[in-house]
Amino acid sequence: MKKQFDAVVIGAGNGGLSTAAKLAISGKKVLLLEKHNIPGGCGTSFRRGRFEFEVALHQLSQLGTAEKPGELREIFEEYGIIDEIDWVQIDSLYKVVTPNGEISLPTSRKGCEETLIEKFPNEKEAILKYYDIVFKFNDETVDMMKSMSKSGGKEPGAIKKFMASKLFPKKYPTLAKYMLKTTDEVLDELNMSNELRLAVNIYWCFMGMPPARFPFSILARCTALYINDLPYYVKGGSQMISQALTEVVKKNGGTVMFNTAAKEIMVENNKAVGVIDEFGNVYECKDVISGISLVDTYFKLVKEEDRPAGVVDYFKPYTVGISALTCFIGLDCTPEEIGFTDSFNLIYEETDCNKAFDNSKCICPDKDPLVTTCYTIDDPAVSPEGSTVITAGTLKYGRPWMEVPAEEYYKTKYEMADIIVDRLEKRFPGIRSHIEEMEVATPLTHMRYLNTPEGAIYGFEQDVTSTVLFFPNEDFIENLTSSNGWVNTCGFGPNYIYGYKVAKKILAKEAK
């Protein structure tokens, strides 16, 4: 039996949920299909013993305050969920731990500058110049985005044409100079020491790219947004946002189906006309929105005979991105008892970040930068009284884990987890003796639950040549578009916002 919808959204990840919510509150008949039994993708949680573990969210950006709302707050207000969720403002940006000490940065530009100058007095000029570039870059970016929006030039092609014009470098000199530079190129220009670099370039780990390839444009935007709009956590974890968005879809007449994977995107005359699920049910629609990987969208769900010419060549320059090896740990003590003071920590074994990143191509996590989050510091109620929940992990490519023999997998993953715990023990003495529960996720775990190629958590690799202006966001099939981090900057905030914009684009198209 066939059913009719205005739009079918495949995948209830952050982008897909946001698109479905916006379409639903706009009066569209929406169907949201999700393979898993809960919504969220990376925005989920799970329980082990008496602990509930956050899967992925470290810090939420672009929320802002009620007095000075960020873009995400305005969207969530429109969805009607801003007052349904308890938002926890985080008091520090992050802590960087190096072989020579530690640096904790506050949530203000002046505070960051003063802290770093005190730590690196001989590099005062470089520090002040760095933040000057970051905030000028951000201001010019915001101005350009507003200008392009008002003029109707919302497509990437229009932005590229504008950037190639003579007017662009005159109006936006900082953007023109640094838009296509890597993080290392900018820090080289400032002649920063390796240790100071570690203190300012931390957001490379949010995109899974080493500073030698990490676009400065993303670093600058992340730095400015987290300082201007402040970082947040969510009481109950990101699952609360995922569930709230799901309820928005339902309350506005949308249909949400869990444990139901899409099997095929129906295409006629190069136009998406519907979706067939794994049980053979047919859903005809005007628009199909894919919240899953572009690889699966075009090479699994679209039949070969319906795949447009040029798709294969278009995707050749793009490489599937990195995954992660993560320990989810419940402790029978408070954070203070083992020395946790900051909720977000990046721990280095050496000061050469690019060299350390090379270790992500092998299984062993002995040298990788260690991303460690303690949510109990932000919200003591996140775990039972007198206990602590932390995550500690490293970025790892999926391919080496895919080559581990099945009979050795379980043993291997816990051996690697033990190395991570050893590293934590050096930084937080006594932590091992307080472990009550521990679960370990590898790239294969992400492959299973996210259903992404090689367990990728950031979509395609996002270096200077494949991000921002070069995202693979061209729609090859009419009425088929994507809404996730495979076609946009990764992250919770960015994908909620992008999903909203995808919906607005669809609504504008239908209004013509």
Side-chain angles (χ1 to χ4, degrees):
M1 184 175 68
K2 297 180 180 179
K3 295 183 179 181
Q4 299 286 335
F5 291 89
D6 292 317
V8 176
V9 180
I10 302 171
N14 298 335
L17 281 168
S18 188
T19 299
K22 174 60 179 175
L23 291 175
I25 65 175
S26 300
K28 297 301 177 182
K29 187 177 180 182
V30 178
L31 170 64
L32 177 58
L33 298 176
E34 171 55 48
K35 183 177 182 179
H36 200 7
N37 59 4
I38 54 175
C42 283
T44 57
S45 61
F46 65 92
R47 293 192 68 87
R48 291 293 183 272
R50 61 182 180 138
F51 299 98
E52 183 164 1
F53 295 103
E54 164 68 45
V55 169
L57 178 63
H58 296 295
Q59 297 176 339
L60 188 65
S61 65
Q62 296 173 273
L63 196 63
T65 63
E67 297 73 27
K68 186 182 176 183
E71 187 173 6
L72 183 60
R73 181 179 290 269
E74 293 176 342
I75 291 172
F76 281 176
E77 285 178 346
E78 182 177 335
Y79 291 165
I81 67 172
I82 196 69
D83 294 326
E84 295 181 1
I85 297 171
D86 291 326
W87 309 98
V88 181
Q89 184 178 318
I90 299 173
D91 294 330
S92 65
L93 288 180
Y94 53 78
K95 175 181 282 186
V96 174
V97 180
T98 76
N100 301 317
E102 58 185 43
I103 307 160
S104 183
L105 293 187
T107 53
S108 72
R109 174 179 175 176
K110 184 177 180 181
C112 288
E113 292 173 342
E114 290 177 347
T115 300
L116 291 174
I117 289 171
E118 182 179 354
K119 183 75 173 180
F120 304 97
N122 295 332
E123 300 188 71
K124 177 179 178 179
E125 184 178 345
I127 293 166
L128 295 176
K129 179 65 175 177
Y130 170 76
Y131 283 102
D132 187 53
I133 293 171
V134 162
F135 282 90
K136 283 182 178 177
F137 188 98
N138 184 67
D139 290 344
E140 290 179 15
T141 298
V142 172
D143 185 76
M144 185 185 76
M145 290 167 66
K146 288 181 179 178
S147 177
M148 296 300 291
S149 179
K150 289 178 181 178
S151 66
K154 301 177 184 179
E155 299 297 325
I159 298 176
K160 289 179 183 178
K161 289 179 182 178
F162 176 63
M163 289 184 66
S165 70
K166 294 181 179 179
L167 177 62
F168 179 72
K170 294 181 180 179
K171 189 172 184 179
Y172 303 116
T174 312
L175 270 180
K177 182 175 181 180
Y178 296 107
M179 172 66 83
L180 299 179
K181 287 186 179 292
T182 67
T183 291
D184 268 358
E185 285 175 327
V186 178
L187 302 187
D188 284 346
E189 177 185 312
L190 298 173
N191 198 31
M192 280 191 178
S193 63
N194 278 353
E195 195 140 351
L196 176 55
R197 289 171 187 246
L198 298 185
V200 299
N201 70 13
I202 187 171
Y203 296 119
W204 66 265
C205 66
F206 282 15
M207 295 295 143
M209 277 282 98
R213 298 176 60 197
F214 183 42
F216 176 74
S217 57
I218 297 180
L219 174 62
R221 285 285 284 160
C222 281
T223 301
L225 285 171
Y226 277 115
I227 289 176
N228 287 337
D229 291 338
L230 305 173
Y232 281 82
Y233 184 62
V234 184
K235 277 187 178 291
S238 58
Q239 186 74 65
M240 301 299 293
I241 305 176
S242 302
Q243 193 60 47
L245 290 173
T246 301
E247 293 304 312
V248 171
V249 177
K250 290 180 178 180
K251 288 178 182 178
N252 287 277
T255 302
V256 181
M257 298 177 64
F258 296 113
N259 299 305
T260 307
K263 181 181 179 182
E264 180 187 334
I265 295 174
M266 300 159 58
V267 179
E268 295 179 3
N269 300 318
N270 202 45
K271 179 184 292 186
V273 296
V275 175
I276 303 173
D277 71 20
E278 61 182 323
F279 306 111
N281 299 306
V282 178
Y283 311 103
E284 295 180 339
C285 61
K286 299 175 184 177
D287 288 280
V288 176
I289 301 95
S290 176
I292 65 175
S293 78
L294 287 176
V295 176
D296 288 342
T297 300
Y298 280 99
F299 297 95
K300 288 187 178 180
L301 298 189
V302 175
K303 288 183 177 179
E304 186 175 359
E305 58 265 31
D306 294 327
R307 196 177 302 139
V311 169
V312 174
D313 288 338
Y314 181 76
F315 287 120
K316 280 182 179 178
Y318 299 96
T319 304
V320 170
I322 205 165
S323 187
L325 168 66
T326 307
C327 296
F328 300 92
I329 304 172
L331 304 173
D332 65 1
C333 66
T334 64
E336 294 78 14
E337 288 180 68
I338 52 171
F340 266 102
T341 57
D342 293 70
S343 59
F344 179 56
N345 307 264
L346 190 57
I347 303 171
Y348 290 95
E349 293 294 325
E350 56 180 274
T351 58
D352 187 335
C353 190
N354 294 304
K355 183 179 179 182
F357 183 85
D358 285 341
N359 212 52
S360 62
K361 299 170 185 175
C362 68
I363 288 176
C364 186
D366 59 335
K367 299 176 183 177
D368 310 68
L370 188 61
V371 181
T372 307
T373 305
C374 182
Y375 301 105
T376 307
I377 290 175
D378 301 324
D379 177 17
V382 78
S383 59
E385 186 176 354
S387 69
T388 300
V389 170
I390 69 170
T391 62
T394 62
L395 295 174
K396 290 291 185 184
Y397 282 98
R399 185 59 58 180
W401 279 92
M402 294 169 67
E403 296 172 355
V404 175
E407 63 274 14
E408 296 179 14
Y409 172 71
Y410 186 86
K411 176 174 176 288
T412 300
K413 83 168 185 175
Y414 278 99
E415 286 178 345
M416 298 305 104
D418 200 50
I419 292 173
I420 289 177
V421 174
D422 280 342
R423 291 181 60 187
L424 290 174
E425 182 71 24
K426 292 178 182 178
R427 177 68 186 87
F428 308 101
I431 189 172
R432 182 182 286 277
S433 65
H434 287 287
I435 295 177
E436 181 179 326
E437 294 282 350
M438 185 170 77
E439 185 57 270
V440 184
T442 74
L444 301 190
T445 313
H446 292 97
M447 286 179 66
R448 177 185 177 189
Y449 287 104
L450 299 180
N451 198 34
T452 55
E454 300 181 27
I457 56 176
Y458 297 136
F460 289 121
E461 288 192 335
Q462 297 196 18
D463 60 17
V464 172
T465 62
S466 57
T467 192
V468 187
L469 295 177
F470 308 104
F471 282 123
N473 51 18
E474 180 176 339
D475 297 335
F476 284 89
I477 297 174
E478 188 177 349
N479 298 339
L480 169 62
T481 193
S482 291
S483 179
N484 54 28
W486 290 82
V487 295
N488 180 60
T489 304
C490 288
F492 279 73
N495 278 325
Y496 294 132
I497 294 170
Y498 187 74
Y500 176 86
K501 292 179 178 178
V502 168
K504 287 195 69 175
K505 183 178 177 181
I506 292 171
L507 294 168
K509 177 191 69 173
E510 294 185 356
K512 291 180 179 179

